[in-house]
């Protein structure tokens, strides 16, 4: 049974940093792509960072470039999202997800919302950026 458990969210001041963790089970971190997505209040869910676990190729949309970094530790079955220089507009619920049939980080981050039902999602962790 595929499961993803996100944690590490909280309240942080603008300019601060936070590291999210996603503990995974039911699959190994050496083939499928994994990613972080977020959904702010009143907005659509969007991709934040994606990682190809078979070759460590990452993909970042413009909102994350230079500030966020995705990584994984296969020994701990955990995916991380390091977020730096956080802004109030980064406030959202952050979800980790995977598509067991997809190995490309670029493809995962560009997967159409209509096809998100093919993915496995964690429960989300709330990040609030506020002074």
């Amino acid at each position: 049974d595929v499961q993803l458990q996100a944690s590490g969210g909280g309240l942080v001041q603008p300019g601060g940093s936070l590291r999210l963790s996603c503990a995974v089970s039911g699959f190994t971190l050496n083939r499928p792509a994994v990613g972080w997505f977020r959904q702010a209040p009143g907005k659509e869910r969007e991709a934040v960072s994606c990682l190809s676990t078979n070759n460590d190729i990452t993909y970042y949309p413009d909102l994350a470039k230079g500030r966020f970094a995705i990584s994984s530790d296969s020994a701990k079955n955990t995916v991380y999202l390091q977020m730096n220089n956080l802004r109030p507009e980064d406030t959202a619920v952050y979800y980790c997800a995977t598509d067991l049939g997809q190995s490309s980080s670029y493809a995962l981050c560009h997967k159409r919302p209509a096809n998100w039902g093919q993915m496995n999602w964690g429960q989300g962790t709330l990040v609030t950026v506020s002074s």
Side-chain angles (χ1 to χ4, degrees):
D1 188 25
V2 174
Q3 293 189 353
L4 301 97
Q5 181 82 21
S7 62
L11 174 64
V12 62
Q13 292 188 341
S17 298
L18 207 59
R19 188 177 80 157
L20 306 182
S21 299
C22 176
V24 308
S25 61
F27 68 100
T28 56
L29 291 172
N30 61 4
R31 191 177 66 84
V34 294
W36 288 92
F37 295 73
R38 72 184 185 187
Q39 187 164 18
K43 295 188 177 182
E44 295 183 351
R45 191 173 298 190
E46 59 185 350
V48 172
S49 302
C50 294
L51 169 71
S52 301
T53 61
N54 61 349
N55 56 22
D56 289 334
I57 292 178
T58 57
Y59 174 81
Y60 300 99
D62 288 345
L63 65 91
K65 286 180 181 177
R67 300 191 302 131
F68 294 1
I70 185 172
S71 62
S72 68
D73 185 333
S74 58
K76 296 182 179 180
N77 291 324
T78 303
V79 181
Y80 302 99
L81 182 67
Q82 177 67 43
M83 303 187 293
N84 300 321
N85 191 22
L86 284 162
R87 306 163 180 165
E89 54 265 38
D90 294 317
T91 295
V93 176
Y94 284 70
Y95 300 88
C96 55
T98 187
D99 182 345
L100 299 182
Q102 179 57 259
S103 61
S104 164
S105 55
Y106 179 90
L108 182 64
C109 266
H110 286 83
K111 201 171 186 69
R112 293 188 300 168
N115 294 325
W116 284 350
Q118 301 171 358
M119 297 166 58
N120 296 93
W121 296 85
Q123 86 290 358
T125 185
L126 176 62
V127 173
T128 303
V129 184
S130 175
S131 55

